[in-house]
Amino acid sequence: MKLKLTRPLAFFDIEATGLKTDTDRIIELAFVKVHPDYTLESKTWLINPQIPIPAKSTAIHGITDQDVADCPIFRQVAEEIWLFISNCDFAGYNAIRFDVPMLFFEFLRIGKYWDYSQFSIVDPGNIFKRKEERTLAAAVKFFCGYDLENAHSAEADINATVDVLLGQFDMYPDLPTDLKALSLYSNHDKEILDLSGKFTLDDDGDIVFNFGQYKGNKAKHDLGYVSWMYSKDFAPDTMKICEKLLGINQ
């Protein structure tokens, strides 16, 4: 592996009851942790989501209510997961859009704030979209030369994602090998400010609104709108940015 690792890099993939990261629930969570010496450690959890799994979701990943009926709920395995991923950076296919916020909200529901600002996130899916605009299955075929079998199984998908990232380094020698730089590249050279994307950074490095009538405006010039946001029910990580802009609890 060409990546220069100073701490473990945890590749992960989630299968869930649906695509709404703030309200749907995890039913399968798989990790492959690459240590700085490139030894591997893997772990998979099946989780009872405590809500029905819609048929359209089962049609994708094949997991039914009966499959997870006797599995632990997230709260029961949360500490084990938390310890397994402590001091890690992360990687996952479309993880910035889906897997990271899904896990963030699962932890939040049990009173744990998973501070994603403290680690780097590499998204091979975004790298692929910047380079080739394809799906995971096409990425496996393109970079690795084999057909992805058992797609939408968390274990199959995450192992395929490891192979894809390795293949991307082989095909694109200009990819950064520094993990933080690769993390920025995989998110279109933008630092992740909040998972819902209400804020982003402009070319000056200033926080700007990324939605609504003030989209593109520097937030520091429209603190009235920031105050309005702070009075509403936005996600906790978005509220933290509002607090920073308003000088609250600093």
Side-chain angles (χ1 to χ4, degrees), residues 3-250:
L3 271 175
K4 301 170 184 176
L5 302 179
T6 58
R7 57 183 180 177
L9 176 61
F11 289 80
F12 78 116
D13 187 74
I14 286 171
E15 304 300 338
T17 57
L19 298 177
K20 295 181 179 179
T21 57
D22 57 341
T23 56
D24 277 305
R25 302 298 179 89
I26 295 172
I27 53 180
E28 187 179 20
L29 175 61
F31 283 93
V32 172
K33 185 158 60 174
V34 183
H35 291 276
D37 63 358
Y38 304 120
T39 57
L40 303 180
E41 186 179 2
S42 60
K43 184 72 177 178
T44 300
W45 289 267
L46 275 176
I47 298 169
N48 185 333
Q50 299 181 278
I51 60 174
I53 303 172
K56 62 182 181 181
S57 296
T58 296
I60 294 172
H61 50 57
I63 303 173
T64 67
D65 291 327
Q66 292 74 24
D67 292 332
V68 295
D70 297 324
C71 292
I73 64 175
F74 185 82
R75 181 180 294 275
Q76 293 171 319
V77 295
E79 191 62 31
E80 182 183 4
I81 296 169
W82 188 271
L83 291 174
F84 186 80
I85 65 177
S86 64
N87 196 39
C88 287
D89 293 307
F90 293 86
Y93 203 92
N94 292 332
I96 293 172
R97 179 185 62 84
F98 180 73
D99 302 88
V100 170
M102 179 67 72
L103 188 55
F104 172 83
F105 281 109
E106 283 282 18
F107 277 130
L108 192 65
R109 274 189 285 271
I110 62 167
K112 285 182 174 289
Y113 189 89
W114 189 39
D115 189 358
Y116 53 84
S117 68
Q118 300 303 306
F119 51 77
S120 295
I121 306 168
V122 174
D123 192 328
N126 282 347
I127 294 172
F128 193 33
K129 289 168 187 174
R130 291 188 71 170
K131 294 290 189 179
E132 304 294 342
E133 298 285 339
R134 299 289 179 89
T135 63
L136 176 57
V140 171
K141 186 70 174 178
F142 186 85
F143 290 107
C144 310
Y146 66 84
D147 293 321
L148 176 58
E149 297 181 359
N150 205 19
H152 299 296
S153 157
E155 288 188 25
D157 285 357
I158 199 59
N159 283 299
T161 301
V162 175
D163 288 345
V164 166
L165 183 58
L166 296 176
Q168 288 173 335
F169 273 109
D170 289 336
M171 184 163 291
Y172 308 123
D174 60 332
L175 284 178
T177 56
D178 175 80
L179 193 64
K180 187 172 181 62
L182 186 64
S183 173
L184 285 171
Y185 184 88
S186 72
N187 196 41
H188 304 281
D189 301 318
K190 296 289 187 179
E191 181 181 347
I192 301 171
L193 298 185
D194 61 326
L195 293 174
S196 61
K198 295 296 186 292
F199 292 103
T200 188
L201 297 176
D202 63 11
D203 292 338
D204 299 324
D206 290 327
I207 298 173
V208 298
F209 300 109
N210 199 35
F211 77 108
Q213 60 181 323
Y214 294 109
K215 184 174 181 177
N217 288 11
K218 294 181 186 291
K220 64 184 180 183
H221 295 160
D222 288 294
L223 293 180
Y225 195 61
V226 177
S227 295
W228 172 84
M229 289 178 63
Y230 193 61
S231 70
K232 301 300 179 181
D233 190 24
F234 286 93
D237 55 335
T238 301
M239 291 302 209
K240 282 183 176 290
I241 298 173
C242 292
E243 290 177 352
K244 177 181 178 180
L245 288 165
L246 296 171
I248 298 172
N249 298 326
Q250 299 295 309

